[in-house]
Amino acid sequence: MANIQFRDLQRQYDHIKEAIDSNIQSVISSAHFISGPEVKTLEATLASYVGVKHCISCANGTDAISIALMAHGVGAGDAVFVPDFTFFSSGECPATIGATPIYVDVLSTTYNMNPTSLTSAVEKVISEGQLKPRAVVAVDLFGQPFDVPAIKTICDKYGLLLLEDAAQGFGGSYTTPAGEKKMACSLGDIATTSFFPAKPLGCYGDGGAIFTNDDNIALLCRSIAVHGKDTQNLDDPNAKYNNIRLGMNSRLDTLQAGVLLGKFETFRDEELDKVNHVASLYSDLLKDVEGLTIPTVLEGMYSSWAQYTIQLPEGVVRSEVQKTLKADGIPTNIYYIKPMHLQGAFMNTRSAEADCPNTERLCNSVLCLPIHPYLEDSEVEFIAEKLKSVLK
Ligand SMILES: *Cc1c(COP(=O)(O)O)cnc(C)c1O
């Protein structure tokens, strides 16, 4: 089978070329490369889609997490609870601003933070009396929102800030038992996302955004993202050069905003449906394979399928499976191969202490299959067929 990509951005470009080309051309013609009008338009578009008052764009999804935590004054002496099974940024950001990430185990079914493990981790920090429990980074791993009601209840009980890391979850949603649909990026006190090219909504470089309903926090985020400029007194023409706090240089390029605007409607109206179709076809084809675990999507959850992640049967040599599939032209990846608490960056710190058996098992057994909205049914069938035959 010809040319199966893990995430096919070329097929996407072929499909939406006109909108992308015309938006890029118009940014270049205007020469308004930083903070051009497309940036404001994109922020308004995404805020309204997600159903949150403010969207603050920034340079990438990692900065978005740091800025969100800084705006809430998280720092030295604070414990920030992070799933052990995630991309490095989720724990890197609290650590780089001086807080201590405390790693929490995930559920083997959804791959998201286990509420019971969160409670134990918070109780442990309280009983040690060294750190102040301050925030939870709830990741929408592989596209599925975190367990919103359970995690929220724990945050309320202990007075913790709930930060939704929706770098992989943009476009997903959670529908409450009462039938109220809430979009990813609206599920915490504050939320962040990434527009890295391979994420559900990706640009042509790095990009990210923060979402909040809090006017004051929104101003703080805007300030921190642009060198701590004075965002309260914008009538003052010199406010731009009035730096009232330490921040960073983290803006979304106008060109990237143009690309995202060119992609957005197709993402919302076509791609989310298509990628969900691909995922359910995979699950249909793989559900009866002995010992293989397909991803579980909980009742009320809608995933944006950043990844389709299976768990291989026990005893199977994963690298051999990957090698055989590769020979058939099927690319695969392992997200994630190492628990956060075992990363070298956290060696000999409090963050290295964690009780996360599910994460350790998942790191040894997961395999991510190609998934994107432009994957054809025949390709999904081919991949499932080849996978079944290598597992025989
Ligand atoms: C990709 C990712 C990030 C970081 O986003 P960048 O734009 O690459 O900085 C953060 N958290 C998670 C869960 C991610 O997958």
Side-chain angles (χ1 to χ4, degrees):
M1 183 125 325
N3 195 22
I4 296 177
Q5 303 278 314
F6 192 73
R7 200 154 191 102
D8 200 330
L9 298 175
Q10 273 135 347
R11 282 189 201 173
Q12 183 193 48
Y13 176 64
D14 290 343
H15 185 61
I16 53 177
K17 186 177 183 325
E18 263 175 60
I20 299 277
D21 289 358
S22 110
N23 285 6
I24 289 178
Q25 193 51 57
S26 99
V27 174
I28 294 174
S29 307
S30 77
H32 205 151
F33 294 112
I34 300 288
S35 308
E38 286 83 355
V39 176
K40 281 271 163 274
T41 307
L42 177 76
E43 290 180 344
T45 304
L46 299 186
S48 131
Y49 172 64
V50 160
V52 164
K53 207 163 157 194
H54 304 281
C55 168
I56 303 100
S57 61
C58 65
N60 55 69
T62 305
D63 283 0
I65 300 170
S66 296
I67 294 166
L69 291 170
M70 286 165 79
H72 282 95
V74 176
D78 291 337
V80 177
F81 300 88
V82 179
D84 200 33
F85 193 58
T86 182
F87 181 66
F88 193 60
S89 299
S90 314
E92 175 187 31
C93 298
T96 50
I97 61 163
T100 304
I102 302 290
Y103 293 111
V104 174
D105 209 3
V106 297
L107 294 163
S108 320
T109 45
T110 62
Y111 306 116
N112 278 328
M113 186 183 264
N114 180 348
T116 310
S117 308
L118 174 60
T119 302
S120 317
V122 176
E123 289 288 349
K124 182 154 185 261
V125 165
I126 293 172
S127 74
E128 290 168 352
Q130 306 274 314
L131 297 166
K132 182 177 187 295
R134 197 53 221 292
V136 171
V137 175
V139 179
D140 299 335
L141 203 72
F142 304 144
Q144 175 170 211
F146 66 95
D147 185 342
V148 181
I151 301 290
K152 232 180 166 59
T153 302
I154 297 166
C155 288
D156 289 346
K157 175 173 172 193
Y158 295 101
L160 305 171
L161 172 76
L162 177 53
L163 186 160
E164 179 192 6
D165 175 358
Q168 300 181 17
F170 194 80
S173 63
Y174 162 63
T175 302
T176 68
E180 190 194 351
K181 180 175 164 184
K182 297 179 171 189
M183 298 300 292
C185 284
S186 76
L187 303 174
D189 299 311
I190 188 161
T192 60
T193 197
S194 163
F195 304 124
F196 182 84
K199 305 282 168 154
L201 178 62
C203 60
Y204 287 171
D206 279 308
I210 305 152
F211 296 85
T212 177
N213 280 316
D214 185 314
D215 298 344
N216 191 41
I217 291 290
L219 283 176
L220 273 170
C221 290
R222 284 205 187 281
S223 169
I224 293 164
V226 187
H227 308 290
K229 74 173 178 184
D230 187 351
T231 43
Q232 321 275 339
N233 304 298
L234 284 177
D235 295 341
D236 174 357
N238 288 319
K240 226 166 111 175
Y241 302 106
N242 215 4
N243 304 92
I244 58 175
R245 62 180 60 84
L246 294 177
M248 51 174 92
N249 177 16
S250 187
R251 286 173 297 231
L252 181 74
D253 290 347
T254 314
L255 274 169
Q256 301 303 346
V259 168
L260 290 164
L261 284 169
K263 283 189 175 191
F264 177 70
E265 283 176 19
T266 307
F267 171 77
R268 182 193 58 197
D269 300 338
E270 297 175 33
E271 292 184 347
L272 285 167
D273 282 347
K274 285 190 189 164
V275 81
N276 270 276
H277 167 78
V278 170
S280 54
L281 184 54
Y282 265 134
S283 293
D284 274 351
L285 296 167
L286 297 174
K287 65 178 187 296
D288 296 325
V289 178
E290 174 125 22
L292 183 147
T293 308
I294 57 171
T296 303
V297 179
L298 296 180
E299 175 88 33
M301 296 294 179
Y302 183 78
S303 176
S304 55
W305 294 104
Q307 302 294 340
Y308 186 88
T309 307
I310 57 169
Q311 296 162 53
L312 293 176
E314 243 176 275
V316 167
V317 183
R318 183 169 53 182
S319 56
E320 287 300 320
V321 174
Q322 286 192 280
K323 217 160 85 188
T324 311
L325 291 176
K326 193 172 173 207
D328 282 320
I330 301 169
T332 56
N333 275 310
I334 298 168
Y335 301 121
Y336 294 93
I337 204 155
K338 202 177 209 181
M340 291 290 286
H341 78 275
L342 295 178
Q343 293 284 1
F346 300 114
M347 216 171 18
N348 302 321
T349 70
R350 170 63 179 83
S351 305
E353 291 170 37
D355 179 23
C356 301
N358 288 345
T359 299
E360 289 179 24
R361 210 178 35 72
L362 288 171
C363 287
N364 289 319
S365 65
V366 289
L367 186 69
C368 303
L369 303 178
I371 190 164
H372 57 79
Y374 302 90
L375 203 61
E376 304 282 344
D377 285 5
S378 58
E379 293 172 316
V380 178
E381 285 156 7
F382 175 77
I383 295 165
E385 227 20 78
K386 291 291 173 189
L387 178 64
K388 282 187 203 171
S389 82
V390 56
L391 292 177
K392 263 205 193 116

